[in-house]
Every structure is written in structure tokens, then in C-alpha cells.
Amino acid sequence: MSTDYDQQRRRLHKCFSQDGLVGADDQTRITLFIQSLKAINSGILAKLEFQPLDWAPWKFLHTQYYRELEMATLMGRATSWSTNPVVYLEASNLNLGLWNRTQAWDYLQAPLAADERFYRYLAMSHALLSVVRLIPLLPPSMPLDTPFLQALHDVEEENGRQIQLQIRLLKELDMGMDRKQREALVEEERERVEASYLELLASLCPEQAEQG
Amino acid sequence: MPVFEYQGHQLYYELHGREGDPVLTIVNGLSMRTSHWGPYFQLLPDLGVRVLTYDMLGQGASSKPVLGAGFQDHADGLYALHRYLGIERPYVFGISFGGVVALRYAVDHPDVLGGVIPVSTFSELDAQLRGHATNLYVGLVRVGFGFYLDLLMPLNFSNEWIAQQQDLIQLIRRVGVSTNELYGIQNLMESLAGFESMTPELSTIKAPALILNGEFDCLTPRHLHDILRREMANSRLVLVPRVCHAFTLEIPALTSRLLADFIHAVERGEWTGDQSVWISAEDPQADPLLTLCEADHLRAIPLAPTPKPPRKRKTAAGSFDQA
């Protein structure tokens, strides 16, 4: 990722080191963003529940659909929700930006099939599952013994297992594109998710950001 | 942050030491990154060796292409990095996965190499190593990066080291998980999926070769290093006592001395690659550092010395009799 990401990473590392916890406002921002990621992916995968079972990746996509729902609700249960309405307003704007950037609605239109649009969905969902990693931003000595941090850790670990589907299909599906075209497409989708993730990072620890 | 733009990707590198000293390039093991070599940035320059470390594609601060890179790309990327930095006669030291990359480099670029140092590595996958690799891969993708590191810990380090670091183990694990991308390391592993034995090519390596193997390396055991020794005419095998697969992290002072002594011997024209086997002292200051191994270096059982055949005594009659 970019130098912007490195700057945010350093800033948040410092902030979380000083505070020793992730407060309710930041928990709310993080959870609403993760739930938005999961809503995009599970919303697309939900269509599959109405499709025939004879498509090879069906079983794995079906599993991912329910895992995504499970992770989204787990975060919801484990979060200390903010009482500040501005946090929710800002989070809505951030999530709208994510939907716009990824053009997620485009995947909601027709049944899933092994075509270029599906390949692009795989690239986008690979980014949804791999770009957003908040645990590495915390000081390594910070215990993960709160319900929120434990849930966040579990979600990020589960993402590593779920992404195997995307990895296999991105590498093995023959879409009539050469490797360079596929790499460019994957990178394009990744940049879209990274841009929204950077916005999330910039919104965390706002007091510390204002101080400089 | 020093980066080398290579085929649309970025390779992160660090160069430490004095210009003009021979340059040793360190090629990481699978889930390593440049910062693992911190102690060497001081130790080796103090011994008159300049150090180049870098992260391969998929590792540390380098690019992590989602679709991965072929195994050959790693050796080609290193060659391009050397050209970019104007390093003309590098010594290439690779550990484990990085050792295979170093061997590939030595096969592909025999004319530019000062020497090669394959460490805790292999040129072919036998049944046990294939089994370990499969377990590590399955642990990584089905359980997670933390479990993959848990599997590696007892293979990589000695009992003594693990006991001493007990308080830090969880921290080390957490840093390991945080600083790696699962799919980046997975791609490195998958680049070996179609790996074919490099053993038939080893005899083409004419450069001086120092092969290092930890005494208790159960991941890449002695016989795999012995294949390298037998096939590379200009080589020596050094056994490093009481350590395991990742001994380079555990005993950097001794490893630095072994590396520097080798490089200076080659530079002075005093290197003899006679396929002999040596045992290192444990003390990095020992003099001499190496002792010729005259026992069967492929055995781990400490056999008692073979009893000498009974002496025969000359009898008064001039015949030989049992003593």
C-alpha cells in the first residue's frame, strides 16, 4: 500500500499505544465498515442460493455466504456502540463511498456465472477479505482480551481461510485474459478497496489526528 | 524507503556496510523479512563484509502480487537487483526457501557469482520434506498464519532458545502475523508447487560454495545438504552444533564469522572446495573455528568408537599370536 497507509499506520500505532484500548467511537467506525464489506460480499453471494447446485464453486461460495453473515453479526454483538450520532453519519458516508468505488451494485443484477464480471467480483472480494487488517495496527503487546478485539481477530483470521476460494479461482479460472490483463484487473479492484480503507483509518483516533 | 522497481512491482532492499567490501546478499526464508537480519547489519560490516538484504515478492515491504510469481521470478529479480545496484560479484546466501533461490541464481548466473552459501535448504523434495511442506501449507490456508508459525517454531529453534524466549514467543508470533500477508506467503509456497529437482543441475555450479547445516535441523536434515556437497565440486559442508533449521536467527555471531571467513578465503584466493565436511566450534571467537569431520557425518547415533582389532604379538617362534 501507499505512503499514506504507512503514515496512518504509524499514527494509529502511536494512538493505540497511548490509549491502550480502542474506544466506543472507533469500535463503531470499524464495525460499521466491516459490516459494510460483509454486506457487499454476502449480498452478492446471496443470489447464489437461488441458482442450481451443479456449478463447481457453488459449495464454497455457499459456505462463504454464511461465514460472512456470521462474521458481520459477531462484530455487531461484540461492539461497544458509540452514543455519538456524528460517528454514524460519518460511517454512512464512508460506506457509501465504498459502495460507489467498488460499484458493488453491478454484481447484484444477474445470476453469477463464469464470466469476466464474476472474475472482477472475485478480485473485488479478494480485496474485501485481505486489505482490511486492523489487528496489525495495534501494538503487538496490546492484549486482545476484550470482546471487540477478540471478535476482530477472529474475523481477520476467518478472512484468511475464506479468501482461499478467491485465490484458487483467480489463479485457475480461464477468462480468456492473459496474465497481465488479469493482474491489472485485480490491482484495479484492490486500489478501490484500499482507498476506502484509508478513509476509515483517517477517521480513527480523530483527537490524535487533530493534534498532529 | 529504498525500493527497486521491477516489472511493475517494488522490491524493498537495504544495503549496510562499507563501499568496496565484498557484498553478501541475504535471501530470506519463506516467512522472513529484511528486519530479521538486524544483527547482521552490524556484525558483518565489522568483519569486512557489506550486506544486501531484500524482501522477495510476497514478503515484508515488497509488492505482493495477488496472482503470485513463478519460482524463477525470484532468482531473476535478485539478478536484476544486483545489476541495478551495480554489484558485480555478489556472494549469495540463502536460507531454506531462499537457499533454493540462491542455488537457482548460481545455476543461472555462474559467471557473476563470487560464491554461494546454501543454508538449511534442499535441491529436491524427498518424502519427509514434502510431508512437512504439505503440513505447513495446509496449516497456513485452513487454520491460519498463527498456526503456521506455531508449526514452524519447534522446527526452527532449539529447546534452549525457546525456553529462554518463552516470554517473547507470543509477541514474536503476533509480530509475525501482523507483518506478513497470508496470501503473499501462500504465493511463495505455491511457486514451489511444480518444483522439479534441481539436483541434476548442481554440478554446473562452479562457484565456491559453503553449505551450512544445523546439527538438529529436522526440517531439512543432513542428507539433503549432503546431496549439495556431493554434486557441487567446489564446495564444503559445515555442520553447526546444537542448532535447528533457523539457526541463523539464533546464533548470528557464529554465523557471521562462518560467512565472513568463507568470503575472505575466497577473496584471498585461499578457498579450497574439496567437498570435505567440517564441524564448527560453538564459540564465534574460536581459533581454529572449524574441525575436519572424520566420522560418518550422515549418522545421528553417537556410536561408541569401533574397537580396534586385537594386536598380534610376535612369539618366540617368530609367528603371530593373539595378544
Side-chain angles (χ1 to χ4, degrees), chain A residues 119 126 130 133 135-136 138-144 157 160-161 164 167-168 170-171 179 182-183 186 190, chain B residues 1 9 65-69 137 141-144 146 171 174-175 177-183 186-187 190:
Chain A
Y119 196 85
H126 183 287
S130 63
R133 292 182 70 211
I135 294 292
L138 305 174
S141 55
M142 187 169 163
L144 304 177
E157 200 167 71
R161 290 188 280 270
Q164 295 306 317
I167 289 173
R168 288 274 63 83
L170 282 169
K171 286 187 177 185
R179 190 180 171 91
R182 288 190 294 147
E183 276 182 351
V186 167
R190 194 164 187 82
Chain B
M1 196 170 87
H9 302 301
V66 168
L67 299 181
Y137 180 80
V141 304
R142 292 204 187 157
V143 185
L171 197 65
R174 178 109 163 248
V175 171
V177 173
S178 293
T179 51
N180 283 293
E181 290 289 350
L182 183 147
Y183 71 89
Q186 182 178 347
N187 280 337
E190 289 185 5

Side-chain angles (χ1 to χ4, degrees), chain A residues 177-193:
Chain A
M177 291 183 282
D178 64 28
R179 190 180 171 91
K180 278 202 165 175
Q181 288 173 311
R182 288 190 294 147
E183 276 182 351
L185 186 153
V186 167
E187 191 53 34
E188 191 182 334
E189 294 304 317
R190 194 164 187 82
E191 283 170 5
R192 292 176 180 187
V193 176

Side-chain angles (χ1 to χ4, degrees), chain B residues 202-234:
Chain B
L202 295 178
S203 60
T204 65
I205 299 174
K206 305 299 181 202
L210 175 70
I211 305 156
L212 299 179
N213 170 223
E215 181 181 3
F216 301 131
D217 182 353
C218 298
L219 185 56
T220 51
R222 184 80 33 85
H223 64 272
L224 294 172
H225 296 80
D226 205 54
I227 293 171
L228 307 184
R229 180 191 67 83
R230 290 198 312 265
E231 297 295 322
M232 294 158 73
N234 197 2

Side-chain angles (χ1 to χ4, degrees), chain A residues 62-74:
Chain A
H62 168 79
T63 300
Q64 192 169 104
Y65 169 55
Y66 284 100
R67 282 287 186 215
E68 291 289 69
L69 292 178
E70 182 189 341
M71 293 299 114
T73 50
L74 173 67

